[in-house]
Amino acid sequence: MNNAFTPELLERIIDNQADYAQPLLFVGARVHLFDSLVDEMKDADILLGEGFIVGTGPGIVTAAGDDNALVIDCTGMVIVPMVVDARAALGLNRDRSSDVGTLWPGNTGTFAVVDAELAEDAASAVASVLTHPESIAAIVIDGKVALWNGERTVNAPAQLDRSHVGEVSPSASPYVGMWIDQSDFLYQELTADGRYDETRGGRPHAFQGSFWIDGDRIDYLDDLGFWAFGEFVDGVLHHGPYILNRR
């Protein structure tokens, strides 16, 4: 356990975030922003508003009292984004508005706090998050602390049940039926037993498998083992290069 990240402090943070009484201020860390213009800041602070980053950089802590901020001491720690935009980090985005997940003011507050001993550089910090989550001091998702000293908090969503991946389940979706693309090449039948069957260019059963519909998104698991997806937009199914209408 990181001595600064105590259960008592977590309790204060959780109580505070229930009704957003105070902004959170993470202070004194080495921050890897993964931003197109700014790479790393030493001894820097991150001020969180209600779900987004208000400020990033050294010296924000001097206004902690003015802002009534709840301060989390991150001395000896490294902060990295949880959503890594390699294009931004490498300066390959067309403009900064294309940056995703960077720790720049205005962006979503989603980052990890890692002990500096596990994070010699940005790459090792990210690797520690992925391979040793039990050693991570904190993970913040959309401005809320979801992991604290390696343990999930009440803010963490329930873990997905992976035991039934690939199981066929009945579908009550209104999208069940036969879908045909505009060129009459692809016929895709979605059946109520959660299965799909494709005819391509007159070749029956070209692909078959299971599907799951969540809102307007459809995910496919083909019997050959690959995954695919589509999206229903205004009653039209967009699936890869195909645009399908229901017969």
Side-chain angles (χ1 to χ4, degrees), residues 5-247:
F5 288 64
T6 64
E8 293 77 17
L9 178 56
L10 174 62
E11 186 175 352
R12 289 183 60 196
I13 291 172
I14 297 297
D15 288 345
N16 169 71
Q17 291 186 320
D19 56 5
Y20 188 66
Q22 300 172 269
L24 297 184
L25 180 58
F26 295 77
V27 304
R30 186 169 84 247
V31 179
H32 294 282
L33 287 84
F34 281 44
D35 183 78
S36 294
L37 293 180
V38 183
D39 178 29
E40 177 185 331
M41 293 181 177
K42 297 180 180 179
D43 194 21
D45 313 324
I46 294 182
L47 179 63
L48 280 183
E50 197 166 5
F52 62 94
I53 298 173
V54 175
T56 304
I60 298 177
V61 67
T62 58
D66 299 336
D67 297 334
N68 189 33
L70 179 53
V71 176
I72 298 99
D73 183 5
C74 297
T75 303
M77 311 296 287
V78 172
I79 294 179
V80 290
M82 280 293 291
V83 178
V84 175
D85 186 345
R87 297 179 309 173
L90 296 172
L92 296 177
N93 280 341
R94 181 176 301 174
D95 49 55
R96 293 190 72 211
S97 64
S98 302
D99 289 355
V100 177
T102 64
L103 301 183
W104 196 252
N107 286 356
T108 302
T110 299
F111 54 84
V113 184
V114 184
D115 194 303
E117 293 184 0
L118 301 173
E120 181 179 343
D121 52 26
S124 59
V126 172
S128 294
V129 173
L130 295 175
T131 59
H132 299 291
E134 74 283 351
S135 66
I136 305 305
I139 289 179
V140 178
I141 305 294
D142 296 335
K144 293 193 174 184
V145 176
L147 183 142
W148 191 259
N149 273 318
E151 299 290 336
R152 297 165 66 88
T153 75
V154 295
N155 289 330
Q159 291 180 300
L160 294 176
D161 182 2
R162 301 181 181 181
S163 62
H164 301 295
V165 172
E167 258 186 28
V168 178
S169 57
S171 175
S173 171
Y175 294 127
V176 165
M178 177 66 77
W179 295 82
I180 305 174
D181 88 300
Q182 296 171 328
S183 67
D184 208 39
F185 173 83
L186 174 63
Y187 285 60
Q188 185 182 97
E189 184 178 12
L190 306 177
T191 59
D193 60 357
R195 297 281 296 175
Y196 70 91
D197 189 348
E198 287 189 358
T199 296
R200 291 178 171 237
R203 178 164 54 99
H205 316 307
F207 291 107
Q208 296 174 296
S210 305
F211 73 88
W212 296 263
I213 294 178
D214 183 7
D216 290 327
R217 178 187 173 109
I218 179 170
D219 289 276
Y220 307 88
L221 173 57
D222 195 83
D223 289 344
L224 295 175
F226 67 83
W227 290 83
F229 87 101
E231 185 178 18
F232 298 96
V233 180
D234 295 329
V236 176
L237 173 56
H238 295 254
H239 173 55
Y242 303 102
I243 299 175
L244 301 95
N245 290 280
R246 186 161 52 180
R247 186 196 306 185

